Amino acid sequence: MKNSEDAYGQTLLAQYNHRTPTAEIIERDDNYIDTGSDPGLYFSEYDEWSPLERRVIEFAKGRILDVGCGAGRHALYLQQKSFDVTGIDNSPGAIKVCKLRGLKKALVRPISEIDKFKPNSFDTIQMFGNNFGLFGSFETARLILKKFARITAPDAQIIAQSRNPYQTIEPEHLAYLRLNRRRGRMSGQLRIRARFGKTIGEWFDYLFVSPEEMQNILKDTDWQIKEFIEPEAASYFAIINKKLINKIYCFRTLNVHQIIKRPAVE
Amino acid sequence: MKNSEDAYGQTLLAQYNHRTPTAEIIERDDNYIDTGSDPGLYFSEYDEWSPLERRVIEFAKGRILDVGCGAGRHALYLQQKSFDVTGIDNSPGAIKVCKLRGLKKALVRPISEIDKFKPNSFDTIQMFGNNFGLFGSFETARLILKKFARITAPDAQIIAQSRNPYQTIEPEHLAYLRLNRRRGRMSGQLRIRARFGKTIGEWFDYLFVSPEEMQNILKDTDWQIKEFIEPEAASYFAIINKKLINKIYCFRTLNVHQIIKRPAVE
């Protein structure tokens, strides 16, 4: 992402520099506009997180990749707990903020280029803050899930948060879900862009899915739901495990030591 | 203003209905976008006002017209203090909120139609919340000041707040001031519109002036500065008095009782 399009990163930088909560402004392609998250959310400390977030972060294990790490609130917490954690974001401004705040491993990298990491680099991939949405669409999700398989250990997991798009009574949101279905998109496939000052971000797809839709996306991939956490909530988590059935895949990507330690079983 | 364009009013209604602070979103015609005021500001209670606002509200006297009354925070305070106060706003949503909150005299009326009030209806016209800006431009200000003279008592006052547009170091704001001068507008003549959800407000001019520019606007009108309050502040107040020199005007607009009570003197 070019700096001149990094409205999201500039929002985070403004907040970092001025030490005041800044609301992000998000436009949807039906002209709907709103302030995206609670001002200050991206910089919230562990004590300010929701009980759900605090519960789910406990699942983090091994070498962790935080996809769409924002201002680094989760990555910094895990780094402080001595985890080996890497944060990536396609926003140069976000990564700048992460580094300024002390995150040691922080990279500007879009999710589409996730396969630049070496095979078996991570044990946990986390997508907090509804960042399952970064998959963008059904097709892209399945493409990236393959890349996720490549860069992770055989017993890796994804910890993902999504928002259930059907949990709304707002007429304008319900109309948007219908519009999406009419134009052959998933209901919750939001086409949005960030705005900050005169900076207008590029349009991109951010995918909200129900637990059932998430199941569908994972079908016949290398990944499967281990458990949903509060699936009935508007914003819920999924613990997604790598399937251990693909022996050929494992032999190709693991070194001998790992195969001995963690045999691939059916 | 049509309801379908009343983004500002919808912002206030949403906040009133959901009881949560809502940020207003304002776009400027150079594509600059920002959240306009502190979320919750329009609903702030006396104790939450700035010390400056609390000091200036003490100037209110007699029959009061609150121009651009928003959610009615000043008008409701004065009504509670037993003042005869009328709030007007061109936003139907704002006036709906004022009425829901208990403001007895609240009218949908744009400042351009201020002369629908009868002569000598008010002793104080207040333009809090930088609402000197509602004058829009140099020419319109002078036109409306004439109407203000018509609808007020001979010893009436205007209590106006403005923001000094030159008190900024933001390059994007400084560039906008230059753009305005190049296109023959006052530096602080902002062309803006409100947005809320899918509702896009009409573009309108909102005028920020320095104390010197305010003096210039008032020159050779029926009004003159009595005093500035914190003129060196980014957002300052002016107490503006009606000149008492125009006898012919007074005779035309006052009834005999008032002329006897308050003789027009040179």
Side-chain angles (χ1 to χ4, degrees), chain A residues 10 18 23-25 27-28 30-35 39 170 172 175-176 195-200, chain B residues 10 18 23-25 27-28 30-35 39 170 172 175-176 195-200:
Chain A
Q10 286 184 35
H18 303 142
E24 61 173 341
I25 297 174
E27 241 178 340
R28 202 169 59 191
D30 61 343
N31 276 332
Y32 188 90
I33 199 164
D34 203 358
T35 49
E170 290 292 335
E172 285 175 331
Y176 189 75
R195 297 191 57 175
F196 180 80
K198 282 162 84 166
T199 304
I200 303 181
Chain B
Q10 286 185 36
H18 302 143
E24 61 173 341
I25 298 175
E27 243 177 338
R28 202 169 58 192
D30 61 344
N31 277 331
Y32 188 90
I33 199 165
D34 202 358
T35 49
E170 289 294 333
E172 286 175 331
Y176 188 75
R195 297 193 54 176
F196 180 80
K198 282 162 82 166
T199 304
I200 303 180

Side-chain angles (χ1 to χ4, degrees), chain B residues 5 10 12 78 96 117 121 138-139 142 157 164 168 171 173 176 182 189 198 201 212 241 246:
Chain B
E5 292 167 356
Q10 286 185 36
L12 297 181
L78 292 167
K96 190 171 173 186
F117 289 109
S121 293
F138 188 93
E139 293 77 17
R142 293 174 66 92
Q157 61 174 352
N164 187 335
T168 182
H173 294 331
Y176 188 75
R182 277 203 308 277
Q189 193 174 343
K198 282 162 82 166
E212 296 71 26
N241 280 354
N246 193 336

Side-chain angles (χ1 to χ4, degrees), chain A residues 1 67 88-90 107-116:
Chain A
M1 191 192 299
V67 178
I88 62 166
D89 207 295
N90 74 336
L107 287 172
V108 179
R109 184 165 295 179
I111 193 170
S112 58
E113 294 174 17
I114 201 99
D115 48 350
K116 284 190 178 171

Side-chain angles (χ1 to χ4, degrees), chain B residues 52-73:
Chain B
L52 184 57
E53 267 180 303
R54 289 205 295 265
R55 184 174 146 206
V56 172
I57 197 89
E58 295 299 321
F59 282 87
K61 61 168 192 187
R63 300 156 299 166
I64 300 161
L65 178 65
D66 187 334
V67 177
C69 58
R73 68 189 195 278

Side-chain angles (χ1 to χ4, degrees), chain B residues 123-187:
Chain B
D123 302 292
T124 297
I125 293 181
Q126 61 183 36
M127 309 173 94
F128 275 59
N130 298 324
N131 269 348
F132 188 88
L134 292 175
F135 282 136
S137 71
F138 188 93
E139 293 77 17
T140 315
R142 293 174 66 92
L143 197 68
I144 295 170
L145 283 164
K146 274 190 194 145
K147 297 181 179 183
F148 275 13
R150 219 145 51 218
I151 64 168
T152 51
D155 61 347
Q157 61 174 352
I158 303 167
I159 308 175
Q161 188 179 17
S162 185
R163 177 170 282 276
N164 187 335
Y166 305 102
Q167 291 221 16
T168 182
I169 54 164
E170 289 294 333
E172 286 175 331
H173 294 331
L174 292 169
Y176 188 75
L177 303 186
R178 287 193 300 271
L179 167 68
N180 265 345
R181 289 192 291 271
R182 277 203 308 277
R183 55 188 182 176
R185 295 157 63 87
M186 288 189 76
S187 300

